Amino acid sequence: MTYFHAYDLQAQSVPPLTLGYGPTIQLPTGADVNDIAVADLDHDGRPDLAIPERALDTLAIFVQTASGGFPAKASARYFFSRGPHTIVPLALNGYGASGSPVPVADDLVLGARQSIQLYLLDNMGTAPGQLSLVARPALRWGPLGGSPPTDPRLLTAPLNGDDYPDIAYLYNPIGTVQAGLGGNGILFRNTPPDNIASPLFYQAPFRPVDASLACMYVPDAYNALLASPTTNEIIIVSTTGKSQPSNGWWTSGYQRKTASGGTRPVAAAGADVDGDGDADLVAAHETNPNVVIRLREPNPVTPYDLLFPTQLTYPLLGAPRQVILQDMNGDNRPDLLVLLTTGLVQVFRNTGQSGQALFDAPILLATGSRPAYLRLADINADGQLDLAVACPGDNTVHLFYNQSVVLSAQAAKSKQLATVYPNPAHTTLQLRSTTGSPIHAAILLDALGRPVRQWDAPATSLNVADVPRGLYLLQLQVGTTKTMHRIVLE
């Protein structure tokens, strides 16, 4: 396996970012794969792959083997008519009152392009090794009477203020003014199939190529970011903030526009890249391919001002398709990932330095032909985010494994601050602080990094008897320090 490293000789405190080539999934000729979802669908503790085959009207499931590989042929296939195109893992069932444990995301939401239908797939398998996806009646996405979207995308985030993930989708047909972002909320107080709220829709003044979600103004209040290639702007659609679960996620018409810093932006993302506590903007441009970092004014007049006086530009080796900001090496600094139409992923490590040195020279990863979309997920269940790229040009999905060493360093630090035993565990985890500092909180995360259960001021033991078996991460706050432990439940 080939490994790629990003190092900073001037800032030795920045941990390396190391990515290696993983397996390539070959789909049948003509599959036209455009997206991929990663989730432990058969509940054996190993994440699996769900891949829509748009031209074949099927959803292919590849179950990860005990050795960490994937079979040459799909483990199961499900038929969905008229172009299944985009997919996300999501927990559709099992929600309790606000503050209750979030159920494991082992269900799927699948969007079909030609029929403009949304399939909600409940995972009915419960025992390890069981896989059973059952579709509810399909929902229509997009405005009534609208045309099929050109390149629909599904996203998830807690959008309506109840801390549970909801469904968002990009709707971008050609030749119509009905384009924008819509979606459905998850209503945790209702039982299926009535726990899916009525669709809401934000109509954009242009046809967006891509969309992302980020908290630009207030923590935990998500905004939608859309790039406008015709006006060279980034549109930030404001959410309604903390609201009742049935209320709208964003207020139509309440939006802010800012220059993208280049020509024909096709993708945007937001996060605090310079560590000053304010969210910054990133835009990727098609003409004179580059990615522009726009740093927010550190002392705005009000908390809601969007001022971006500082601009940094990094060249790309081709036209961009997608841009993502995500911490990949555990140093709490968002790294920058850009998917190119030329069959490359450029990964820029965040160094924490000022000026143009904020991001390193990029790591280059070769994908298949005509890459369509990049998803981040913990594919090999080691607690770190990996990459999965769907490529319709040669009907492949390329996996790249994150080999950064930060988690091993965290594990050593965690061992010094607290011990967790037994491991593997069956019903109970025992906690012991080794420093004398109290353990203030414990959060159990699934293989995709999503909270499963939280304990405030935990006692010396945690009851995990009713948690599904598998690999987890346990985050402990010991004094003022957060530490991470890998946990196996069997």
Side-chain angles (χ1 to χ4, degrees):
M1 180 179 291
T2 304
Y3 298 100
F4 297 86
H5 308 266
Y7 293 102
D8 185 352
L9 298 179
Q10 297 180 348
Q12 299 294 335
S13 62
V14 181
L17 173 55
T18 308
L19 301 170
Y21 285 97
T24 296
I25 311 299
Q26 181 65 59
L27 284 303
T29 301
D32 194 14
V33 53
N34 286 271
D35 204 355
I36 180 173
V38 180
D40 182 9
L41 299 174
D42 66 346
H43 309 106
D44 63 355
R46 295 182 291 269
D48 310 304
L49 309 178
I51 306 173
E53 299 171 320
R54 185 168 74 91
L56 304 179
D57 288 339
T58 53
L59 174 65
I61 307 296
F62 288 80
V63 173
Q64 188 167 176
T65 65
S67 62
F70 293 93
K73 294 184 179 180
S75 308
R77 275 192 166 88
Y78 295 83
F79 176 80
F80 297 95
S81 64
R82 306 196 67 186
H85 187 106
T86 178
I87 190 168
V88 289
L90 188 65
L92 294 172
N93 307 290
Y95 292 96
S98 183
S100 300
V102 177
V104 176
D106 61 355
D107 306 307
L108 297 171
V109 180
L110 174 66
R113 178 177 174 268
Q114 285 89 341
S115 62
I116 322 181
Q117 285 189 317
L118 205 61
Y119 296 101
L120 307 175
L121 311 180
D122 291 301
N123 192 342
M124 309 304 290
T126 55
Q130 287 187 354
L131 170 65
S132 177
L133 299 178
V134 178
R136 303 185 192 181
L139 302 176
R140 181 182 176 85
W141 63 348
L144 291 175
S147 304
T150 303
D151 192 15
R153 290 297 165 199
L154 283 168
L155 303 168
T156 62
L159 298 171
N160 59 8
D162 60 11
D163 301 323
Y164 294 154
D166 304 297
I167 305 165
Y169 56 79
L170 175 70
Y171 176 75
N172 58 353
I174 295 177
T176 177
V177 296
Q178 291 182 317
L181 197 74
N184 302 78
I186 303 293
L187 306 181
F188 63 84
R189 292 191 179 94
N190 296 40
T191 57
D194 298 324
N195 64 333
I196 305 299
S198 301
L200 299 164
F201 193 76
Y202 163 75
Q203 186 167 322
F206 56 92
R207 190 179 75 84
V209 180
D210 197 15
S212 66
L213 301 171
C215 301
M216 297 300 297
Y217 305 130
V218 179
D220 301 325
Y222 278 82
N223 307 98
L225 279 66
L226 304 172
S228 172
T230 56
T231 63
N232 299 326
E233 293 175 317
I234 303 301
I235 312 298
I236 304 173
V237 186
S238 297
T239 68
T240 56
K242 292 289 184 180
S243 64
Q244 295 300 314
S246 59
N247 289 354
W249 307 340
W250 49 77
T251 304
S252 293
Y254 184 37
Q255 60 189 24
R256 279 186 166 88
K257 303 178 182 179
T258 185
S260 67
T263 306
R264 287 195 60 80
V266 294
D272 178 14
V273 298
D274 58 356
D276 65 356
D278 292 317
D280 308 298
L281 273 178
V282 173
H285 298 85
E286 187 176 56
T287 306
N288 297 322
N290 60 42
V291 61
V292 174
I293 315 295
R294 303 202 63 207
L295 301 179
R296 185 173 171 181
E297 168 64 43
N299 297 303
V301 177
T302 72
Y304 296 96
D305 280 353
L306 276 180
L307 304 175
F308 302 95
T310 303
Q311 180 171 307
L312 306 172
T313 301
Y314 299 86
L316 300 175
L317 298 177
R321 175 67 184 85
Q322 182 187 3
V323 61
I324 296 175
L325 287 170
Q326 177 65 51
D327 177 16
M328 299 295 293
N329 59 354
D331 61 358
N332 296 317
R333 301 184 182 102
D335 303 299
L336 173 62
L337 301 92
V338 185
L339 177 65
L340 307 182
T341 60
T342 52
L344 287 175
V345 181
Q346 291 187 224
V347 183
F348 300 79
R349 187 188 60 161
N350 190 327
T351 68
Q353 297 188 61
S354 60
Q356 196 67 30
L358 178 60
F359 287 99
D360 266 337
I363 300 170
L364 302 180
L365 302 171
T367 71
S369 174
R370 224 164 25 91
Y373 214 58
L374 164 64
R375 296 286 191 182
L376 299 180
D378 183 5
I379 300 171
N380 56 358
D382 66 352
Q384 302 189 90
L385 288 174
D386 308 303
L387 288 69
V389 182
C391 303
D394 55 5
N395 300 301
T396 58
V397 169
H398 290 252
L399 307 181
F400 304 93
Y401 287 147
N402 190 346
Q403 305 289 346
S404 302
V405 298
V406 68
L407 271 189
S408 61
Q410 285 182 343
K413 186 176 182 181
S414 298
K415 187 175 181 180
Q416 296 172 0
L417 298 178
T419 58
V420 181
Y421 61 95
N423 191 12
H426 299 289
T427 60
T428 304
L429 288 170
Q430 302 292 334
L431 310 179
R432 184 172 67 87
S433 172
T434 59
T435 65
S437 298
I439 300 177
H440 295 293
I443 301 176
L444 191 67
L445 308 170
D446 66 13
L448 299 178
R450 305 184 185 197
V452 174
R453 184 159 300 177
Q454 179 170 343
W455 296 266
D456 295 322
T460 57
S461 64
L462 305 177
N463 185 354
V464 292
D466 59 339
V467 178
R469 306 294 91 177
L471 177 67
Y472 293 87
L473 292 175
L474 180 65
Q475 177 181 291
L476 300 177
Q477 182 176 341
V478 183
T480 59
T481 304
K482 292 182 179 179
T483 67
M484 197 75 75
H485 301 256
R486 290 193 186 96
I487 300 297
V488 176
L489 301 182
E490 62 180 20

